[in-house]
Coordinates of all heavy atoms in Angstrom, one line a residue:
Chain O
H60 N -8.7 -132.8 -64.1 CA -9.0 -132.4 -62.7 C -7.9 -131.5 -62.1 O -8.1 -130.8 -61.2 CB -9.3 -133.6 -61.8 CG -8.1 -134.6 -61.8 ND1 -7.8 -135.4 -62.8 CD2 -7.2 -134.7 -60.8 CE1 -6.7 -136.1 -62.5 NE2 -6.3 -135.7 -61.3
R61 N -6.7 -131.7 -62.6 CA -5.5 -130.9 -62.1 C -5.3 -129.8 -63.2 O -4.2 -129.7 -63.7 CB -4.3 -131.9 -62.0 CG -3.2 -131.3 -61.1 CD -2.1 -132.4 -60.9 NE -2.5 -133.6 -60.4 CZ -2.9 -133.8 -59.1 NH1 -2.9 -132.8 -58.3 NH2 -3.4 -135.0 -58.7
G109 N -13.7 -133.7 -64.5 CA -13.7 -134.5 -63.2 C -13.7 -136.0 -63.4 O -13.6 -136.7 -62.5
I110 N -13.9 -136.4 -64.7 CA -13.9 -137.8 -65.0 C -12.5 -138.2 -65.6 O -12.3 -137.7 -66.7 CB -15.0 -138.2 -65.9 CG1 -16.4 -137.6 -65.4 CG2 -15.1 -139.7 -66.1 CD1 -16.9 -138.2 -64.1
V111 N -11.8 -139.0 -65.0 CA -10.4 -139.2 -65.5 C -10.5 -140.0 -66.8 O -11.1 -141.0 -67.0 CB -9.6 -140.1 -64.4 CG1 -8.3 -140.6 -65.0 CG2 -9.4 -139.3 -63.2
G139 N -3.4 -137.7 -67.2 CA -2.3 -138.2 -66.3 C -2.0 -139.6 -66.7 O -2.5 -140.2 -67.6
D140 N -1.0 -140.2 -65.9 CA -0.6 -141.5 -66.2 C -1.7 -142.5 -65.8 O -1.9 -143.5 -66.6 CB 0.6 -141.9 -65.3 CG 0.5 -141.4 -63.9 OD1 0.6 -140.2 -63.7 OD2 0.2 -142.2 -63.0
A141 N -2.5 -142.3 -64.8 CA -3.5 -143.2 -64.4 C -4.6 -143.2 -65.5 O -5.3 -144.3 -65.7 CB -4.1 -142.8 -63.0
A142 N -4.8 -142.1 -66.1 CA -5.9 -142.0 -67.1 C -5.6 -143.0 -68.3 O -6.6 -143.4 -68.9 CB -6.0 -140.6 -67.7
Q145 N -7.7 -146.1 -68.7 CA -9.1 -146.0 -69.0 C -9.4 -146.4 -70.5 O -8.7 -146.0 -71.4 CB -9.6 -144.5 -68.9 CG -9.8 -144.1 -67.5 CD -11.1 -144.6 -66.9 OE1 -11.9 -145.2 -67.6 NE2 -11.3 -144.4 -65.6
N169 N 3.1 -138.3 -63.5 CA 3.7 -137.9 -62.2 C 3.8 -139.0 -61.3 O 3.8 -138.9 -60.1 CB 2.9 -136.7 -61.6 CG 1.4 -137.1 -61.4 OD1 1.1 -138.3 -61.4 ND2 0.6 -136.1 -61.1
Y171 N 1.9 -141.2 -60.0 CA 0.8 -141.7 -59.1 C -0.6 -141.3 -59.7 O -0.8 -140.2 -60.2 CB 0.9 -141.2 -57.7 CG 2.2 -141.6 -57.0 CD1 3.3 -140.9 -57.0 CD2 2.2 -142.9 -56.4 CE1 4.5 -141.3 -56.4 CE2 3.3 -143.4 -55.8 CZ 4.5 -142.6 -55.8 OH 5.6 -143.0 -55.2
G172 N -1.5 -142.2 -59.5 CA -3.0 -141.9 -59.6 C -3.5 -142.0 -58.2 O -3.6 -143.1 -57.7
I173 N -3.8 -140.9 -57.6 CA -4.0 -140.8 -56.1 C -2.9 -141.5 -55.4 O -1.8 -141.0 -55.4 CB -5.4 -141.3 -55.7 CG1 -6.5 -140.6 -56.6 CG2 -5.6 -141.1 -54.2 CD1 -7.9 -140.9 -56.1
H238 N -2.2 -135.8 -53.7 CA -3.2 -135.8 -54.8 C -4.1 -134.6 -54.8 O -4.3 -134.0 -55.8 CB -4.0 -137.1 -54.8 CG -5.1 -137.1 -55.7 ND1 -5.0 -137.2 -57.0 CD2 -6.5 -137.0 -55.4 CE1 -6.2 -137.1 -57.6 NE2 -7.1 -137.0 -56.7
Ligands
TPP427 C1 -13.3 -142.3 -64.0 C2 -12.8 -141.8 -62.7 N1 -12.3 -142.8 -61.9 C3 -11.8 -142.4 -60.7 C4 -11.7 -141.0 -60.4 C5 -11.1 -140.6 -59.0 N2 -9.8 -139.9 -59.3 C6 -9.7 -138.6 -59.4 S1 -8.2 -138.2 -59.9 C7 -7.6 -139.7 -59.9 C8 -6.2 -140.1 -60.2 C9 -5.8 -139.6 -61.6 O1 -4.5 -139.8 -61.8 P1 -3.8 -139.3 -63.1 O2 -4.6 -139.6 -64.3 O3 -2.4 -139.9 -63.1 O4 -3.7 -137.8 -62.9 P2 -3.0 -137.0 -61.7 O5 -4.0 -136.9 -60.6 O6 -1.8 -137.8 -61.3 O7 -2.6 -135.7 -62.2 C10 -8.6 -140.6 -59.6 C11 -8.5 -142.1 -59.5 C12 -12.2 -140.1 -61.3 N3 -12.3 -138.8 -61.0 N4 -12.7 -140.5 -62.5

Side-chain angles (χ1 to χ4, degrees):
Chain O
H60 58 285
R61 199 177 302 289
I110 310 293
V111 171
D140 46 283
Q145 282 284 352
N169 60 15
Y171 296 96
I173 307 187
H238 166 70

